[in-house]
Amino acid sequence: MNNLTLEVEGAIAILTITRPAALNALNSETLNELDAALDEINANADIRAVILTGGADKKGNAFKSFVAGADIGEMSTLTKAEGEAFGKKGNDVFRKLETLPVPVICAINGFALGGGCEIAMSCDIRICSDNAIFGQPEVGLGITPGFGGTQRLARVVGVGKAKEMIYSARNIKADEAYRIGLVNNVYSAEELMPAAKKLASIIAANAPIAVRACKKAINDGLDAKMDDAIVIEEKLFGSCFETEDQKAGMGNFLEKDPEKKLKVVPFQNK
Ligand code: CO8
């Protein structure tokens, strides 16, 4: 892979988008590599959480940019049909990311503009460094957000704020992103990756079948009416029973031994 690294540390996969010459902007090649990396993660049952972040810029600054959008050079000469196809390519990959069975934490280390903000919103949890900048600058470039921004931003921060950000193309800083709920937490540059890894480790120490079922219940339920959504939860709740995770998790609690109750049980993916 030219523009992406995939490292696996125990049960945690770290995906880093690395196109230093273009502040990690997403071109077709990067989207294809991301697609392949997500397949690789999905095929590895030992991975229980993923961290997505951006690599350093060409001067070696690791906190300049997460992803500065889709690649404007590549998009500049597209026809209508090619534009639509490029949008579909991004949407397909981002949907694969959003529906990856394990949780994805996005560690935003600088600019998250256009496609950068959109890929962050396809992750389960967003945290950022205190210098991060968010925005949907597309209308200034004569296009709409095309990798899900018109849909996900409204769902994450509410319709009013999303419309203001998209219509104005105004960038916002980390503190405002935190205030409107676009990110869960803001850290100093040095604290960002340790915080992402700590959260990923906490998630990875929980029962993997249950964590996956929670992700599916929340995601699928959000697209359904409440009457149908609670049925989605019931089915996924039921699916946890008779698994090693459920037997070990509840067995540990019932042991009454405080030492054992807190112990991480040997959860299995079955
Ligand atoms: N695409 C391509 N190259 C980029 C991009 C980008 N999005 N962003 C930065 N670069 C390149 C620059 O051209 C520059 O290259 P070079 O060194 O060869 O001149 C290099 O990265 C460094 O950038 P700057 O010199 O501009 O760095 P600054 O610190 O001065 O500025 C900014 C940083 C503010 C982030 C600035 O680079 C910028 O405004 N970038 C563009 C941000 C943007 O508008 N992003 C949204 C793009 S549109 C989009 O994402 C739509 C998604 C949906 C597409 C759907 C398709 C149908």
Side-chain angles (χ1 to χ4, degrees):
M1 291 192 283
N2 293 324
N3 307 320
L4 203 68
T5 59
L6 172 60
E7 299 155 271
V8 178
E9 294 180 8
I12 300 164
I14 302 171
L15 260 178
T16 308
I17 298 169
T18 48
R19 270 192 85 208
L23 301 184
N24 305 327
L26 300 169
N27 60 0
S28 295
E29 186 184 48
T30 311
L31 291 171
N32 289 337
E33 290 180 4
L34 195 56
D35 192 50
L38 293 173
D39 287 341
E40 201 176 322
I41 290 170
N42 202 11
N44 184 343
D46 293 333
I47 293 174
R48 295 180 177 195
V50 178
I51 298 170
L52 177 69
T53 192
D57 71 355
K58 59 187 172 191
K59 291 183 186 150
N61 183 353
F63 292 90
K64 168 88 177 187
S65 179
F66 164 61
V67 171
D71 191 292
I72 298 173
E74 183 175 340
M75 286 189 296
S76 62
T77 57
L78 298 183
T79 62
K80 285 183 195 295
E82 289 165 345
E84 191 175 328
F86 189 54
K88 177 167 170 36
K89 182 190 268 290
N91 275 334
D92 287 351
V93 178
F94 288 13
R95 188 72 181 135
K96 190 179 273 192
L97 175 65
E98 187 171 45
T99 58
L100 196 72
V102 295
V104 183
I105 298 164
C106 192
I108 300 144
N109 53 320
F111 289 113
L113 301 175
C117 191
E118 290 169 309
I119 195 171
M121 290 189 291
S122 306
C123 299
D124 296 274
I125 296 166
R126 285 161 294 287
I127 59 175
C128 72
S129 54
D130 52 15
N131 70 325
I133 303 274
F134 299 81
Q136 297 289 162
E138 286 88 349
V139 293
L141 296 164
I143 56 172
T144 68
F147 291 165
T150 57
Q151 305 309 308
R152 292 194 181 93
L153 191 58
R155 284 166 169 80
V156 175
V157 304
V159 178
K161 262 290 158 205
K163 285 181 172 175
E164 182 188 329
M165 280 179 68
I166 291 171
Y167 300 164
S168 70
R170 183 175 68 87
N171 291 343
I172 60 170
K173 293 181 178 169
D175 56 349
E176 189 173 352
Y178 175 67
R179 192 168 54 74
I180 66 172
L182 185 52
V183 296
N184 290 17
N185 255 314
V186 182
Y187 297 94
S188 67
E190 313 78 63
E191 288 174 325
L192 180 66
M193 276 314 277
K197 287 183 184 183
K198 187 174 173 194
L199 181 56
S201 303
I202 291 169
I203 292 169
N206 282 318
I209 295 173
V211 172
R212 285 169 179 241
C214 288
K215 174 163 178 174
K216 191 164 170 49
I218 294 168
N219 279 2
D220 292 359
L222 282 171
D223 293 333
K225 283 188 288 186
M226 186 54 86
D227 284 335
D228 300 327
I230 53 174
V231 175
I232 291 170
E233 186 189 78
E234 283 158 21
K235 297 216 172 303
L236 286 159
F237 174 70
S239 77
C240 296
F241 287 83
E242 298 177 58
T243 63
E244 292 295 324
D245 286 16
Q246 179 258 336
K247 285 184 207 158
M250 291 193 179
N252 266 9
F253 177 82
L254 294 172
E255 288 251 353
K256 301 277 183 202
D257 175 349
E259 283 297 303
K260 267 202 167 164
K261 239 196 272 181
L262 296 172
K263 229 200 274 172
V264 175
V265 292
F267 294 118
Q268 293 169 16
N269 279 315
K270 66 180 182 194

mmCIF file of all heavy atoms in Angstrom, residues 93-127:
data_model
loop_
_atom_site.group_PDB
_atom_site.id
_atom_site.type_symbol
_atom_site.label_atom_id
_atom_site.label_comp_id
_atom_site.label_asym_id
_atom_site.label_seq_id
_atom_site.Cartn_x
_atom_site.Cartn_y
_atom_site.Cartn_z
ATOM 1 N N VAL A 93 -16.796 2.942 0.283
ATOM 2 C CA VAL A 93 -15.712 2.644 1.237
ATOM 3 C C VAL A 93 -16.089 3.144 2.635
ATOM 4 O O VAL A 93 -15.891 2.448 3.636
ATOM 5 C CB VAL A 93 -14.379 3.278 0.779
ATOM 6 C CG1 VAL A 93 -13.279 3.014 1.793
ATOM 7 C CG2 VAL A 93 -13.962 2.753 -0.578
ATOM 8 N N PHE A 94 -16.663 4.348 2.704
ATOM 9 C CA PHE A 94 -17.019 4.908 4.017
ATOM 10 C C PHE A 94 -18.136 4.084 4.672
ATOM 11 O O PHE A 94 -18.184 3.948 5.888
ATOM 12 C CB PHE A 94 -17.465 6.367 3.892
ATOM 13 C CG PHE A 94 -16.343 7.335 3.580
ATOM 14 C CD1 PHE A 94 -15.099 6.907 3.161
ATOM 15 C CD2 PHE A 94 -16.534 8.703 3.726
ATOM 16 C CE1 PHE A 94 -14.067 7.806 2.874
ATOM 17 C CE2 PHE A 94 -15.511 9.613 3.458
ATOM 18 C CZ PHE A 94 -14.281 9.158 3.025
ATOM 19 N N ARG A 95 -19.032 3.563 3.853
ATOM 20 C CA ARG A 95 -20.109 2.727 4.411
ATOM 21 C C ARG A 95 -19.516 1.413 4.949
ATOM 22 O O ARG A 95 -19.955 0.899 5.976
ATOM 23 C CB ARG A 95 -21.146 2.461 3.308
ATOM 24 C CG ARG A 95 -22.394 1.774 3.791
ATOM 25 C CD ARG A 95 -23.294 2.678 4.619
ATOM 26 N NE ARG A 95 -24.477 1.939 5.063
ATOM 27 C CZ ARG A 95 -24.975 1.972 6.289
ATOM 28 N NH1 ARG A 95 -24.430 2.737 7.208
ATOM 29 N NH2 ARG A 95 -26.032 1.270 6.612
ATOM 30 N N LYS A 96 -18.505 0.902 4.234
ATOM 31 C CA LYS A 96 -17.831 -0.310 4.717
ATOM 32 C C LYS A 96 -17.161 -0.023 6.068
ATOM 33 O O LYS A 96 -17.187 -0.840 6.980
ATOM 34 C CB LYS A 96 -16.789 -0.776 3.682
ATOM 35 C CG LYS A 96 -16.210 -2.131 3.978
ATOM 36 C CD LYS A 96 -15.195 -2.567 2.931
ATOM 37 C CE LYS A 96 -15.828 -3.274 1.766
ATOM 38 N NZ LYS A 96 -14.839 -3.941 0.877
ATOM 39 N N LEU A 97 -16.584 1.174 6.187
ATOM 40 C CA LEU A 97 -15.954 1.575 7.445
ATOM 41 C C LEU A 97 -17.012 1.698 8.549
ATOM 42 O O LEU A 97 -16.840 1.197 9.659
ATOM 43 C CB LEU A 97 -15.247 2.921 7.229
ATOM 44 C CG LEU A 97 -14.614 3.626 8.418
ATOM 45 C CD1 LEU A 97 -13.459 2.797 8.977
ATOM 46 C CD2 LEU A 97 -14.096 5.010 8.000
ATOM 47 N N GLU A 98 -18.117 2.358 8.212
ATOM 48 C CA GLU A 98 -19.181 2.585 9.196
ATOM 49 C C GLU A 98 -19.791 1.270 9.683
ATOM 50 O O GLU A 98 -20.167 1.148 10.848
ATOM 51 C CB GLU A 98 -20.273 3.446 8.537
ATOM 52 C CG GLU A 98 -21.356 3.921 9.453
ATOM 53 C CD GLU A 98 -22.253 4.953 8.747
ATOM 54 O OE1 GLU A 98 -22.650 4.726 7.581
ATOM 55 O OE2 GLU A 98 -22.546 5.993 9.356
ATOM 56 N N THR A 99 -19.877 0.289 8.791
ATOM 57 C CA THR A 99 -20.517 -0.982 9.149
ATOM 58 C C THR A 99 -19.505 -2.077 9.468
ATOM 59 O O THR A 99 -19.889 -3.235 9.593
ATOM 60 C CB THR A 99 -21.467 -1.458 8.018
ATOM 61 O OG1 THR A 99 -20.701 -1.597 6.811
ATOM 62 C CG2 THR A 99 -22.609 -0.486 7.787
ATOM 63 N N LEU A 100 -18.237 -1.716 9.594
ATOM 64 C CA LEU A 100 -17.245 -2.691 10.028
ATOM 65 C C LEU A 100 -17.741 -3.276 11.358
ATOM 66 O O LEU A 100 -18.159 -2.519 12.233
ATOM 67 C CB LEU A 100 -15.897 -1.979 10.223
ATOM 68 C CG LEU A 100 -14.656 -2.868 10.319
ATOM 69 C CD1 LEU A 100 -14.320 -3.451 8.947
ATOM 70 C CD2 LEU A 100 -13.458 -2.054 10.821
ATOM 71 N N PRO A 101 -17.695 -4.587 11.561
ATOM 72 C CA PRO A 101 -18.303 -5.141 12.782
ATOM 73 C C PRO A 101 -17.682 -4.643 14.078
ATOM 74 O O PRO A 101 -18.351 -4.600 15.102
ATOM 75 C CB PRO A 101 -18.082 -6.657 12.620
ATOM 76 C CG PRO A 101 -17.942 -6.868 11.147
ATOM 77 C CD PRO A 101 -17.277 -5.643 10.615
ATOM 78 N N VAL A 102 -16.416 -4.244 14.064
ATOM 79 C CA VAL A 102 -15.787 -3.788 15.312
ATOM 80 C C VAL A 102 -15.751 -2.256 15.362
ATOM 81 O O VAL A 102 -15.726 -1.592 14.326
ATOM 82 C CB VAL A 102 -14.345 -4.353 15.470
ATOM 83 C CG1 VAL A 102 -14.370 -5.860 15.615
ATOM 84 C CG2 VAL A 102 -13.454 -3.934 14.328
ATOM 85 N N PRO A 103 -15.723 -1.684 16.585
ATOM 86 C CA PRO A 103 -15.715 -0.220 16.705
ATOM 87 C C PRO A 103 -14.463 0.421 16.118
ATOM 88 O O PRO A 103 -13.364 -0.128 16.217
ATOM 89 C CB PRO A 103 -15.766 0.014 18.228
ATOM 90 C CG PRO A 103 -16.339 -1.234 18.798
ATOM 91 C CD PRO A 103 -15.850 -2.344 17.904
ATOM 92 N N VAL A 104 -14.660 1.595 15.524
ATOM 93 C CA VAL A 104 -13.546 2.370 14.964
ATOM 94 C C VAL A 104 -13.475 3.717 15.685
ATOM 95 O O VAL A 104 -14.461 4.462 15.730
ATOM 96 C CB VAL A 104 -13.730 2.609 13.453
ATOM 97 C CG1 VAL A 104 -12.521 3.356 12.888
ATOM 98 C CG2 VAL A 104 -13.940 1.302 12.712
ATOM 99 N N ILE A 105 -12.306 4.008 16.244
ATOM 100 C CA ILE A 105 -12.065 5.304 16.898
ATOM 101 C C ILE A 105 -11.274 6.149 15.910
ATOM 102 O O ILE A 105 -10.238 5.709 15.407
ATOM 103 C CB ILE A 105 -11.232 5.122 18.183
ATOM 104 C CG1 ILE A 105 -11.989 4.246 19.188
ATOM 105 C CG2 ILE A 105 -10.869 6.479 18.796
ATOM 106 C CD1 ILE A 105 -11.104 3.694 20.294
ATOM 107 N N CYS A 106 -11.747 7.366 15.650
ATOM 108 C CA CYS A 106 -11.013 8.250 14.752
ATOM 109 C C CYS A 106 -10.203 9.231 15.597
ATOM 110 O O CYS A 106 -10.777 9.985 16.399
ATOM 111 C CB CYS A 106 -11.997 8.988 13.844
ATOM 112 S SG CYS A 106 -11.172 9.826 12.496
ATOM 113 N N ALA A 107 -8.894 9.208 15.433
ATOM 114 C CA ALA A 107 -8.006 10.121 16.161
ATOM 115 C C ALA A 107 -7.598 11.216 15.184
ATOM 116 O O ALA A 107 -6.722 11.020 14.328
ATOM 117 C CB ALA A 107 -6.797 9.366 16.697
ATOM 118 N N ILE A 108 -8.237 12.379 15.292
ATOM 119 C CA ILE A 108 -8.111 13.447 14.288
ATOM 120 C C ILE A 108 -6.967 14.381 14.684
ATOM 121 O O ILE A 108 -7.085 15.139 15.645
ATOM 122 C CB ILE A 108 -9.449 14.195 14.164
ATOM 123 C CG1 ILE A 108 -10.543 13.199 13.730
ATOM 124 C CG2 ILE A 108 -9.354 15.367 13.189
ATOM 125 C CD1 ILE A 108 -11.882 13.462 14.330
ATOM 126 N N ASN A 109 -5.901 14.324 13.924
ATOM 127 C CA ASN A 109 -4.656 15.011 14.299
ATOM 128 C C ASN A 109 -4.361 16.201 13.387
ATOM 129 O O ASN A 109 -3.272 16.296 12.823
ATOM 130 C CB ASN A 109 -3.487 14.005 14.259
ATOM 131 C CG ASN A 109 -3.399 13.271 12.938
ATOM 132 O OD1 ASN A 109 -4.416 12.896 12.368
ATOM 133 N ND2 ASN A 109 -2.194 13.063 12.430
ATOM 134 N N GLY A 110 -5.332 17.106 13.262
ATOM 135 C CA GLY A 110 -5.114 18.275 12.409
ATOM 136 C C GLY A 110 -6.327 18.502 11.522
ATOM 137 O O GLY A 110 -7.463 18.264 11.935
ATOM 138 N N PHE A 111 -6.081 18.933 10.271
ATOM 139 C CA PHE A 111 -7.206 19.254 9.367
ATOM 140 C C PHE A 111 -8.094 18.032 9.109
ATOM 141 O O PHE A 111 -7.590 16.946 8.778
ATOM 142 C CB PHE A 111 -6.682 19.751 8.012
ATOM 143 C CG PHE A 111 -6.067 21.124 8.071
ATOM 144 C CD1 PHE A 111 -4.709 21.296 7.849
ATOM 145 C CD2 PHE A 111 -6.842 22.244 8.350
ATOM 146 C CE1 PHE A 111 -4.130 22.562 7.898
ATOM 147 C CE2 PHE A 111 -6.272 23.517 8.405
ATOM 148 C CZ PHE A 111 -4.911 23.675 8.181
ATOM 149 N N ALA A 112 -9.398 18.251 9.254
ATOM 150 C CA ALA A 112 -10.392 17.233 8.855
ATOM 151 C C ALA A 112 -11.416 17.984 8.015
ATOM 152 O O ALA A 112 -12.471 18.390 8.496
ATOM 153 C CB ALA A 112 -11.031 16.604 10.081
ATOM 154 N N LEU A 113 -11.062 18.202 6.759
ATOM 155 C CA LEU A 113 -11.880 19.043 5.882
ATOM 156 C C LEU A 113 -12.536 18.205 4.795
ATOM 157 O O LEU A 113 -11.929 17.248 4.289
ATOM 158 C CB LEU A 113 -11.005 20.125 5.235
ATOM 159 C CG LEU A 113 -10.289 21.069 6.226
ATOM 160 C CD1 LEU A 113 -9.359 22.026 5.480
ATOM 161 C CD2 LEU A 113 -11.294 21.841 7.068
ATOM 162 N N GLY A 114 -13.742 18.582 4.404
ATOM 163 C CA GLY A 114 -14.424 17.880 3.320
ATOM 164 C C GLY A 114 -14.461 16.387 3.577
ATOM 165 O O GLY A 114 -14.997 15.926 4.598
ATOM 166 N N GLY A 115 -13.849 15.629 2.662
ATOM 167 C CA GLY A 115 -13.802 14.171 2.811
ATOM 168 C C GLY A 115 -13.131 13.732 4.109
ATOM 169 O O GLY A 115 -13.383 12.628 4.596
ATOM 170 N N GLY A 116 -12.310 14.608 4.688
ATOM 171 C CA GLY A 116 -11.654 14.275 5.965
ATOM 172 C C GLY A 116 -12.651 14.301 7.112
ATOM 173 O O GLY A 116 -12.634 13.439 7.995
ATOM 174 N N CYS A 117 -13.539 15.294 7.104
ATOM 175 C CA CYS A 117 -14.592 15.360 8.111
ATOM 176 C C CYS A 117 -15.572 14.207 7.876
ATOM 177 O O CYS A 117 -16.061 13.574 8.810
ATOM 178 C CB CYS A 117 -15.298 16.714 8.003
ATOM 179 S SG CYS A 117 -16.413 17.075 9.359
ATOM 180 N N GLU A 118 -15.799 13.905 6.589
ATOM 181 C CA GLU A 118 -16.761 12.854 6.249
ATOM 182 C C GLU A 118 -16.269 11.466 6.645
ATOM 183 O O GLU A 118 -17.041 10.634 7.123
ATOM 184 C CB GLU A 118 -17.067 12.916 4.737
ATOM 185 C CG GLU A 118 -17.886 14.157 4.371
ATOM 186 C CD GLU A 118 -17.973 14.390 2.871
ATOM 187 O OE1 GLU A 118 -16.920 14.401 2.199
ATOM 188 O OE2 GLU A 118 -19.086 14.559 2.358
ATOM 189 N N ILE A 119 -14.985 11.202 6.467
ATOM 190 C CA ILE A 119 -14.483 9.877 6.864
ATOM 191 C C ILE A 119 -14.503 9.762 8.397
ATOM 192 O O ILE A 119 -14.819 8.702 8.949
ATOM 193 C CB ILE A 119 -13.086 9.562 6.260
ATOM 194 C CG1 ILE A 119 -12.790 8.069 6.379
ATOM 195 C CG2 ILE A 119 -11.963 10.368 6.894
ATOM 196 C CD1 ILE A 119 -11.548 7.614 5.635
ATOM 197 N N ALA A 120 -14.220 10.877 9.078
ATOM 198 C CA ALA A 120 -14.267 10.855 10.553
ATOM 199 C C ALA A 120 -15.682 10.523 11.025
ATOM 200 O O ALA A 120 -15.859 9.769 11.988
ATOM 201 C CB ALA A 120 -13.814 12.198 11.112
ATOM 202 N N MET A 121 -16.679 11.074 10.333
ATOM 203 C CA MET A 121 -18.068 10.831 10.753
ATOM 204 C C MET A 121 -18.537 9.420 10.443
ATOM 205 O O MET A 121 -19.575 8.983 10.929
ATOM 206 C CB MET A 121 -18.996 11.861 10.095
ATOM 207 C CG MET A 121 -18.807 13.259 10.643
ATOM 208 S SD MET A 121 -20.054 14.403 10.073
ATOM 209 C CE MET A 121 -19.659 14.558 8.341
ATOM 210 N N SER A 122 -17.770 8.689 9.634
ATOM 211 C CA SER A 122 -18.112 7.288 9.351
ATOM 212 C C SER A 122 -17.561 6.365 10.434
ATOM 213 O O SER A 122 -17.802 5.163 10.400
ATOM 214 C CB SER A 122 -17.556 6.878 7.984
ATOM 215 O OG SER A 122 -17.992 7.785 7.007
ATOM 216 N N CYS A 123 -16.784 6.934 11.360
ATOM 217 C CA CYS A 123 -16.239 6.146 12.466
ATOM 218 C C CYS A 123 -17.214 6.196 13.641
ATOM 219 O O CYS A 123 -18.079 7.058 13.710
ATOM 220 C CB CYS A 123 -14.878 6.703 12.887
ATOM 221 S SG CYS A 123 -13.652 6.660 11.557
ATOM 222 N N ASP A 124 -17.043 5.275 14.588
ATOM 223 C CA ASP A 124 -17.965 5.205 15.726
ATOM 224 C C ASP A 124 -17.740 6.333 16.718
ATOM 225 O O ASP A 124 -18.687 6.886 17.277
ATOM 226 C CB ASP A 124 -17.780 3.865 16.458
ATOM 227 C CG ASP A 124 -18.160 2.708 15.580
ATOM 228 O OD1 ASP A 124 -19.355 2.368 15.551
ATOM 229 O OD2 ASP A 124 -17.278 2.159 14.888
ATOM 230 N N ILE A 125 -16.468 6.641 16.984
ATOM 231 C CA ILE A 125 -16.116 7.605 18.030
ATOM 232 C C ILE A 125 -15.031 8.517 17.474
ATOM 233 O O ILE A 125 -14.069 8.034 16.866
ATOM 234 C CB ILE A 125 -15.587 6.854 19.278
ATOM 235 C CG1 ILE A 125 -16.695 5.974 19.895
ATOM 236 C CG2 ILE A 125 -15.021 7.833 20.315
ATOM 237 C CD1 ILE A 125 -16.197 4.961 20.914
ATOM 238 N N ARG A 126 -15.196 9.831 17.681
ATOM 239 C CA ARG A 126 -14.182 10.787 17.222
ATOM 240 C C ARG A 126 -13.558 11.500 18.410
ATOM 241 O O ARG A 126 -14.278 12.029 19.274
ATOM 242 C CB ARG A 126 -14.824 11.854 16.305
ATOM 243 C CG ARG A 126 -15.162 11.370 14.914
ATOM 244 C CD ARG A 126 -16.172 12.272 14.232
ATOM 245 N NE ARG A 126 -17.457 12.203 14.908
ATOM 246 C CZ ARG A 126 -18.293 11.172 14.839
ATOM 247 N NH1 ARG A 126 -17.991 10.134 14.080
ATOM 248 N NH2 ARG A 126 -19.434 11.148 15.504
ATOM 249 N N ILE A 127 -12.209 11.510 18.441
ATOM 250 C CA ILE A 127 -11.483 12.349 19.392
ATOM 251 C C ILE A 127 -10.466 13.128 18.567
ATOM 252 O O ILE A 127 -10.109 12.717 17.460
ATOM 253 C CB ILE A 127 -10.802 11.518 20.513
ATOM 254 C CG1 ILE A 127 -9.803 10.507 19.939
ATOM 255 C CG2 ILE A 127 -11.837 10.812 21.366
ATOM 256 C CD1 ILE A 127 -9.023 9.748 21.010
#
